[in-house]
Amino acid sequence: MVGANNKPEETDQPEVMIEVSVWRGDAEAGGFRTYHVPSRQSQTVLDIVTYIQRNLDPELTYRFACRVGMCGSCGMTVNGKPRWTCRTHASQVISNGKLTIEPLRNMTKVKDLAVDMTPFFDKWVEAKGAFVPTKTRHDEIEAIKPDSKERRAADAAVECINCGVCYSACDVVAWKPDYLGPAAINRSWTLVNDPRDGAQAERLKVLASDAGCSNCHSHQSCATYCPNLLNPTRSIAGVKRRVMVAALKGEV
Amino acid sequence: MTALRIYMAQRISAMIMVPLVFMHLGMIIYAVQGGLSAEEILGRTRGSIFWACFYGLFVTAVSVHGAAGIRVIVTEMVSLRKGTADLLTYGIFLLLFVMGARAVVAVTMP
């Protein structure tokens, strides 16, 4: 039982401990270090990492911000699978009382559990993931019907929190580091479906490039691990269709 | 060759192959069930423009599809320069095409 101050209440029961192996090191070298963390009710993986840093090893480096699944900062590899740690309950992932926590893959390690996400975000820019307006504030607001095919396609993909979990899960990114990846193409797909956007031709050219959508094998790891239950594979399939039509018309 | 062209070549060749594979399987079952001998089969295929075109198209589609697929797998596993990857793709296409064309010629030439 846990008291109001998040400390175990006095009981005769021995405290249950979790054996946690945490990857420590940097881009050059590193390995696993084992810690023993007391089990708590409603404990998240991020709670465990925080416990280690505050009570056992203050040099442990990791990244988090909101703790409620909004900011996308706390992505880590937990028992071999990429996850958002703030909303992953330890009880769901602990296997035989053990937990392994590593940094996200496909990104350069900075230190311990923190990775360099710069290339991940650079690819969002490269994939023309920013809205390019075609109107000024003096123009009429363009009406977008909520039930239109384009709006529904954009809605299905728009709730991405940039956590990098799909990018880490993608085997094609591991094999081809230049590949834009599921998150960037998923973001572009929302804009491909935005009739107000003024960069459609340029965007399709990037999506049709050697780094673009044709690299995706539809393994669906991105859809499997996306914490927000998005389906980037479906977005990429939509991009492939648009790009194929554009290619047949000689536009890309 | 761009990644998109290779992607499109592989998808279009796959679309061509789908009906051809079913027709090919159907023909095998028909020939086996009917108890046709090799001579009887060759008697029907030799000199037939239809079967020459059918298997000629099949072999071409397989060669394109296989070459594109192997290129993708190899470039994901090994770091290759684009020129080398192009050479590999053309080489695999030629190998598959020549092997397949030899069989088509043997079965359909009068």
Side-chain angles (χ1 to χ4, degrees):
Chain A
M1 290 296 290
V2 178
N5 61 359
N6 202 30
K7 291 201 171 152
E9 290 174 353
E10 296 290 328
T11 65
D12 295 336
Q13 299 293 320
E15 197 165 46
V16 176
M17 302 298 281
I18 310 162
E19 188 181 313
V20 189
S21 297
V22 179
W23 196 90
R24 304 294 311 274
D26 54 27
E28 307 299 319
F32 285 98
R33 197 175 296 174
T34 303
Y35 305 91
H36 292 88
V37 177
S39 177
R40 298 276 186 270
Q41 242 182 8
S42 301
Q43 187 177 29
T44 67
V45 174
L46 184 64
D47 290 338
I48 289 176
V49 175
T50 301
Y51 181 92
I52 293 170
Q53 198 229 32
R54 295 194 180 165
N55 298 284
L56 307 174
D57 192 343
E59 290 187 353
L60 175 65
T61 303
Y62 64 111
R63 188 186 282 129
F64 76 98
C66 75
R67 299 174 297 161
V68 289
M70 297 289 286
C71 72
S73 306
C74 67
M76 297 173 202
T77 304
V78 182
N79 282 357
K81 293 176 181 173
R83 293 180 179 278
W84 57 355
T85 54
C86 69
R87 295 192 66 181
T88 300
H89 276 254
S91 58
Q92 293 171 334
V93 288
I94 286 173
S95 174
N96 296 324
K98 292 180 182 177
L99 204 56
T100 304
I101 306 174
E102 301 164 76
L104 288 177
R105 70 169 189 160
N106 293 340
M107 287 177 264
T108 308
K109 298 176 182 84
V110 176
K111 183 177 176 290
D112 303 337
L113 300 171
V115 291
D116 180 8
M117 296 183 81
T118 309
F120 172 73
F121 290 115
D122 283 348
K123 286 177 180 178
W124 281 59
V125 177
E126 193 185 334
K128 309 267 178 212
F131 175 66
V132 177
T134 48
K135 297 193 174 192
T136 68
R137 68 182 62 196
H138 306 295
D139 295 315
E140 286 280 311
I141 294 173
E142 186 162 337
I144 306 291
K145 288 187 176 174
D147 59 349
S148 67
K149 189 180 165 195
E150 289 76 17
R151 184 62 235 180
R152 279 189 282 121
D155 273 346
V158 83
E159 294 291 347
C160 175
I161 58 166
N162 323 346
C163 63
V165 163
C166 62
Y167 189 82
S168 173
C170 180
D171 285 333
V172 181
V173 173
W175 297 327
K176 286 190 167 181
D178 290 339
Y179 172 45
L180 290 170
I185 300 179
N186 180 73
R187 168 61 189 162
S188 283
W189 172 240
T190 64
L191 292 167
V192 165
N193 283 289
D194 192 335
R196 303 166 304 163
D197 187 273
Q200 298 294 358
E202 296 89 332
R203 187 173 294 111
L204 279 185
K205 277 181 188 155
V206 176
L207 294 171
S209 71
D210 286 358
C213 62
S214 61
N215 290 289
C216 171
H217 294 316
S218 307
H219 287 165
Q220 303 197 53
S221 297
C222 52
T224 301
Y225 294 110
C226 174
N228 266 354
L229 306 178
L230 303 184
N231 188 344
T233 309
R234 186 169 56 199
S235 302
I236 297 168
V239 170
K240 283 174 177 171
R241 286 193 295 275
R242 293 288 179 94
V243 164
M244 286 269 273
V245 170
L248 292 171
K249 288 180 179 172
E251 294 171 358
V252 293
Chain B
M1 280 183 276
T2 65
L4 184 64
R5 279 177 191 276
I6 293 158
Y7 173 84
M8 289 178 71
Q10 201 180 25
R11 266 56 184 183
I12 292 167
S13 59
M15 282 190 266
I16 293 170
M17 279 196 293
V18 168
L20 301 183
V21 166
F22 281 110
M23 284 174 71
H24 180 61
L25 289 174
M27 204 182 70
I28 291 171
I29 292 166
Y30 170 76
V32 171
Q33 296 293 325
L36 290 177
S37 67
E39 287 76 23
E40 285 169 324
I41 293 170
L42 288 175
R44 295 173 190 207
T45 56
R46 281 194 169 146
S48 165
I49 293 171
F50 172 78
W51 289 118
C53 291
F54 179 90
Y55 280 110
L57 182 64
F58 204 156
V59 163
T60 309
V62 167
S63 306
V64 170
H65 194 78
I70 291 172
R71 176 203 174 102
V72 170
I73 293 166
V74 170
T75 53
E76 282 174 351
M77 296 296 116
V78 187
S79 177
L80 284 185
R81 280 188 302 183
K82 205 166 181 183
T84 314
D86 286 351
L87 265 177
L88 176 80
T89 312
Y90 286 124
I92 293 165
F93 170 79
L94 266 179
L95 179 71
L96 293 174
F97 185 77
V98 168
M99 287 165 65
R102 282 187 67 219
V104 174
V105 167
V107 171
T108 60
M109 284 295 275

